[in-house]
Amino acid sequence: MTHVLSKRDRRYPRRIEAIDGAEIVLKDTDGDGDADLEVRVRDRQVCKIREKTVGYSTVFRGRSGRSFRLTILAIHHPTRTVKIAVSPGE
């Protein structure tokens, strides 16, 4: 599934409950095309993504212990918007 997160565009949320109890939070973007995200499960940070560009992918575990892959699909800095995909992991 794909999600769009934004800090400035009110059409999109800044944080979402993505899957299996995992919350994904957009922290910031910058002019270099980098994004900062955070994955939280049960109010605990499980994955910190800092200064990553389009195409970056990482695996995290949800509340049940199943793994999921988060991939950055697009970053639009002027509106601080990031498009991500979350899919079943390895």
Side-chain angles (χ1 to χ4, degrees):
M1 63 180 72
T2 61
H3 301 280
V4 177
L5 304 171
S6 182
K7 287 186 73 173
R8 286 194 182 156
D9 192 333
R10 293 178 186 225
R11 294 177 296 170
Y12 307 112
R14 182 177 177 195
R15 61 179 64 225
I16 55 156
E17 173 127 359
I19 195 165
D20 195 20
E23 179 182 50
I24 300 172
V25 181
L26 173 62
K27 292 297 194 178
D28 203 7
T29 65
D30 63 30
D32 295 339
D34 298 339
D36 299 336
L37 299 159
E38 189 175 273
V39 180
R40 303 182 68 78
V41 175
R42 294 184 183 150
D43 294 329
R44 183 174 61 93
Q45 179 182 323
V46 295
C47 187
K48 187 175 186 178
I49 301 165
R50 296 291 181 255
E51 298 182 5
K52 301 301 179 191
T53 59
V54 172
Y56 174 78
S57 183
T58 189
V59 175
F60 66 91
R61 294 200 182 274
R63 183 177 290 154
S64 70
R66 290 181 38 209
S67 62
F68 298 93
R69 178 171 298 280
L70 179 143
T71 305
I72 299 175
L73 301 176
I75 299 170
H76 188 254
H77 178 63
T79 59
R80 303 281 200 263
T81 303
V82 176
K83 184 175 184 178
I84 59 169
V86 179
S87 58
E90 304 170 89

